[in-house]
Amino acid sequence: MNHRSLIVACAQLGPIQRAEPRAVAVARMVRLMERARARGAEFVAFPELALTTFFPRHYLERIEDADAWFETSMPSDETAPLFAAARRLGVGFHLGYAERVIEADATGRARPRRFNTAILVSPAGDILLKYRKVHLPGHAEYDPRRNVQHLEKRYFEVGNLGFPVIRAPMGALPGVNLGMMICNDRRWPEAWRVLGLQGVELVALGYNTPSLNQEAGGFEAHHLRVFHSHLSIQAGCYQNACFAVATAKAGTEDGCELFGHSIIVNPQGEIIAQAGTWDDEVITAECDFAMCTLGRTTIFDFAKHRRPEAYAPITGQVGAVEPPVWGDPGA
Ligand code: ING
């Protein structure tokens, strides 16, 4: 039986300091891609915002002053070495970066727009798919209560490309159903399900997640930070019968620690590879897409078992609405 399988890798990045030039980060990424290829990888996933430090932790009065952290073209002179390495090695890849474009908005007016973006790139260097982060955590204005700011809502617009899936050649396979999400998206089951409803087989996602809860909202035990990340990804894979390759940017940037623990997860929700360091590290695993078939032809046969007529609140509401109060008939 011809196995449809693909060897995938997480190219986990250690910290990128505020002053670190892109060329240094890209050189580190090329080395990771080479190490992944040496271990048989045919597809390599890099983290969210992989080219720079996680700059949304810095408050800048003028948004334009953050533009040095954005890419205005992809590829560019600084990222060209990564595309060249992919061609040389015959490896496809996933890359997260801050995107600044001149694009018409909903009113039809073209203006500068900034997104937290990720792309899937073929070994030949074609951009197969682009995604812009939908779930932007944190806040838009300076929050004096926080010991570290998380200003994604300040620097990025909500993604306007939905959660797309594309069937494209990868490795030795003529077609794999590939999708993406970014960091906080993984905590929202809706994101996974939209990909699942397009038959996604492999979800690539990168993340920059602080080890300590930055919100002053209350105590959260440290070990739960990683648990919640893994739980979200394992549940997403199990409930949509897909694989995920989830890659961290890790380590301490500007005094703020990000956790690593990149993982590759199968359609049973099992972690089949996990990073052990919080630095530049490659993990690999073989994804046999026959494993997707079991879930989507039994428990998660969406056509047979889903009942959208009962799901209206999921797209009809934004926040939760208080339930009716029970009245004791005996009172
Ligand atoms: N980072 C974090 C994430 O969702 C966060 C923000 C951490 C939100 C923990 C809630 C709880 O993994 C990014 N970049 O989204």
Side-chain angles (χ1 to χ4, degrees):
M1 159 154 151
N2 66 324
H3 265 242
R4 287 183 61 244
S5 75
L6 187 72
I7 297 179
V8 304
C10 290
Q12 176 177 288
L13 281 173
I16 298 181
Q17 300 313 331
R18 188 168 182 165
E20 190 164 328
R22 273 176 189 66
V24 172
V26 168
R28 287 168 51 189
M29 294 164 71
V30 169
R31 270 199 305 280
L32 287 166
M33 186 182 270
E34 289 167 348
R35 278 168 43 195
R37 185 76 196 94
R39 292 170 51 176
E42 300 163 296
F43 177 77
V44 178
F46 292 105
E48 168 193 34
L49 296 176
L51 299 168
T52 65
T53 194
F54 186 75
F55 64 85
R57 71 167 70 89
H58 300 296
Y59 176 79
L60 293 174
E61 183 64 36
R62 290 167 18 96
I63 309 285
E64 305 73 44
D65 292 345
D67 281 350
W69 282 307
F70 285 76
E71 311 307 314
T72 52
S73 69
M74 185 53 69
S76 58
D77 292 349
E78 292 100 336
T79 51
L82 193 58
F83 283 70
R87 262 191 300 280
R88 170 167 50 88
L89 299 165
V91 168
F93 66 95
H94 163 84
L95 176 70
Y97 62 94
E99 176 191 21
R100 182 178 182 281
V101 288
I102 306 296
E103 189 175 290
D105 60 20
T107 71
R109 186 169 57 89
R111 61 181 171 78
R113 306 187 69 187
R114 298 173 180 82
F115 298 98
N116 186 339
T117 296
I119 52 175
L120 293 173
V121 184
S122 75
D126 304 309
I127 294 181
L128 301 170
L129 194 63
K130 180 191 279 192
Y131 167 67
R132 289 165 170 168
K133 188 174 184 178
V134 166
H135 297 98
L136 298 170
H139 46 104
E141 298 307 326
Y142 185 82
D143 181 347
R145 291 171 311 149
R146 295 176 74 110
N147 42 24
V148 178
Q149 303 296 307
H150 195 120
L151 291 155
E152 292 194 58
K153 292 182 194 296
R154 183 176 189 77
Y155 296 117
F156 305 123
E157 289 186 52
V158 171
N160 59 351
L161 301 176
F163 293 99
V165 176
I166 190 85
R167 183 173 185 82
M170 194 55 69
L173 301 176
V176 181
N177 295 349
L178 302 164
M180 287 177 278
M181 59 175 77
I182 298 176
C183 201
N184 195 258
D185 287 323
R186 72 192 186 283
R187 302 177 192 277
W188 301 92
E190 297 91 335
W192 291 94
R193 185 47 46 89
V194 172
L195 295 176
L197 287 166
Q198 301 172 77
V200 74
E201 293 174 305
L202 177 63
V203 176
L205 72 98
Y207 60 88
N208 288 246
T209 305
S211 305
L212 298 177
N213 193 336
Q214 311 301 336
E215 314 231 11
F219 175 71
E220 178 195 79
H222 300 176
H223 71 280
L224 293 178
R225 303 288 285 177
V226 177
F227 170 67
H228 290 158
S229 180
H230 288 180
L231 177 66
S232 302
I233 300 164
Q234 290 176 263
C237 288
Y238 165 62
Q239 292 168 348
N240 296 282
C242 64
F243 286 89
V245 50
T247 307
K249 169 116 78 54
T252 299
E253 296 183 344
D254 303 306
C256 175
E257 186 183 87
L258 305 169
F259 69 71
H261 300 302
S262 304
I263 51 174
I264 301 171
V265 179
N266 74 14
Q268 297 288 353
E270 296 168 298
I271 296 175
I272 54 178
Q274 178 166 330
T277 72
W278 287 13
D279 213 326
D280 291 11
E281 179 178 350
V282 171
I283 59 171
T284 55
E286 179 158 4
C287 301
D288 175 352
F289 296 119
M291 280 192 80
C292 302
T293 308
L294 174 66
R296 56 188 58 178
T297 57
T298 55
I299 308 166
F300 298 110
D301 180 335
F302 293 155
K304 194 178 291 182
H305 300 305
R306 289 187 70 249
R307 306 298 336 154
E309 68 274 13
Y311 306 158
I314 290 181
T315 55
Q317 275 176 233
V318 179
V321 171
E322 283 304 303
V325 178
W326 178 73
D328 181 348

